Amino acid sequence: MQRAAKREQQDREQRVKGLHRVLVGAAAVPVMLIAAGCSSDSGTDDAAGAKASASSSASASASPSPTVQAAAYKSLPQSCKVLSKKTLEDLVPKAKSGKAGSSDDTSSRASCSWSSLDNNGVKGSQFRWLNVSLVRFDSDVTSGSADKLAREYFASQLTDARSVSGAKNVKSEPVTGVGDEATVVRYDLKKKEGSFKQETVVARVENVVVTLDYNGAGFAGDKTPSADALDKLARKAAKETVAAVQKANGEGGGAGTPSSTPSKSASKSPSKSPSGSPSKAAASSPSKTASQKS
């Protein structure tokens, strides 16, 4: 009896211990679930933070859109009206009117030429030819600022003027008081019609380049004109042309005054000179030029 009671007591103790272990295990499950939930939320927050950080970094490292300084001048004057009647009478006294060069955009490129033949019969005759070319550049993100493009074109025009085929006694020197920079190139050119004296003035004012070609010759035994006289007239005409460019863009017209009010770019920059390149025109046959007289 005592042994049976003892075994029964032991069985009850074993059942109590087993029940205690089950209850302890069941209590641990919610704790594990809570811990897992906290761990999951933390991972989400970390991922969101990393994504925001990456987005901020990408935004900070993105480069701004490229820009260039706007062109100072946005228009050109009428090419055949850049010189006064008095100046034209001094340079090409027998010219009735100028002949405008062809252009698909007169706000970016324009030119005008005049020819004069003072025929004195058996005493010979005096020939004069004048051409004014204007090229305006616009700023372009790919090519650069209008000012930079104008400087490059200015240099190329001088190179052309100094390298005309057959030119003799080539000389060049800076011209003061004409735009932002200007240079005159002078030389002699021998042709079957006679001996020519050539003057080429290249000037830049802001984003516009002016190329003025002026030459003269004595035909049928008449004397060759004075190079110094032609030089003086060419400089005067170049200064007047630059003033016309400034006036067309709202300035007072005084030569050598830079613009202070930039304007917005309107079109792509011109890359070629107007039809009838000044350097090529200077080397063209004078008889052919005289036939174009208006």
Side-chain angles (χ1 to χ4, degrees):
M1 288 292 291
Q2 291 180 350
R3 291 178 180 175
K6 188 176 183 178
R7 282 198 300 271
E8 184 177 352
Q9 179 65 28
Q10 289 176 347
D11 290 340
R12 281 197 300 269
E13 291 176 355
Q14 289 295 330
R15 285 196 298 272
V16 170
K17 289 181 179 180
L19 179 60
H20 178 71
R21 284 195 298 268
V22 171
L23 293 175
V24 171
V29 171
V31 175
M32 294 176 63
L33 291 176
I34 292 173
C38 292
S39 176
S40 176
D41 291 343
S42 176
T44 302
D45 292 343
D46 290 344
K51 185 176 181 180
S53 177
S55 176
S56 176
S57 176
S59 176
S61 63
S63 58
S65 300
T67 58
V68 291
Q69 184 177 1
Y73 290 164
K74 61 181 180 180
S75 63
L76 293 176
Q78 294 183 44
S79 59
C80 291
K81 294 185 178 181
V82 294
L83 299 175
S84 68
K85 183 178 179 180
K86 176 62 170 63
T87 299
L88 288 173
E89 287 177 350
D90 291 340
L91 274 75
V92 281
K94 295 299 180 178
K96 294 181 180 180
S97 61
K99 182 179 180 181
S102 61
S103 174
D104 57 358
D105 182 5
T106 55
S107 70
S108 294
R109 62 179 70 247
S111 65
C112 191
S113 62
W114 298 260
S115 60
S116 171
L117 185 63
D118 188 3
N119 193 340
N120 297 313
V122 295
K123 295 181 180 180
S125 58
Q126 285 290 317
F127 173 76
R128 299 290 185 272
W129 181 77
L130 172 66
N131 185 82
V132 177
S133 167
L134 306 101
V135 180
R136 185 185 66 83
F137 292 85
D138 275 317
S139 295
D140 183 86
V141 173
T142 302
S143 303
S145 70
D147 185 75
K148 167 183 169 291
L149 296 172
R151 289 177 186 275
E152 292 175 350
Y153 185 68
F154 172 85
S156 70
Q157 287 295 89
L158 284 180
T159 298
D160 289 347
R162 291 168 177 152
S163 57
V164 171
S165 177
K168 303 293 184 182
N169 304 317
V170 180
K171 299 177 182 178
S172 65
E173 61 177 306
V175 179
T176 59
V178 180
D180 297 314
E181 56 181 331
T183 299
V184 60
V185 179
R186 54 195 295 184
Y187 54 82
D188 301 330
L189 197 62
K190 183 77 173 181
K191 288 187 174 290
K192 64 180 181 179
E193 292 84 358
S195 298
F196 284 76
K197 296 293 184 180
Q198 170 71 33
E199 300 285 333
T200 298
V201 182
V202 183
R204 182 187 66 82
V205 55
E206 294 289 0
N207 55 307
V208 175
V209 176
V210 172
T211 305
L212 184 142
D213 282 287
Y214 183 50
N215 63 39
F219 291 165
D222 205 348
K223 63 181 181 180
T224 301
S226 165
D228 289 340
L230 295 183
D231 180 80
K232 183 178 180 180
L233 290 171
R235 292 175 187 236
K236 176 186 176 182
K239 185 174 183 178
E240 197 170 308
T241 303
V242 166
V245 173
Q246 294 174 314
K247 186 177 181 180
N249 287 277
E251 293 187 358
T257 305
S259 169
S260 60
T261 306
S263 59
K264 293 183 179 180
S265 173
S267 61
K268 292 184 178 180
S269 305
S271 58
K272 298 180 181 179
S273 60
S275 61
S277 171
S279 59
K280 292 181 179 179
S284 64
S285 170
S287 60
K288 184 176 181 180
T289 307
S291 67
Q292 298 175 347
K293 182 179 69 173
S294 301

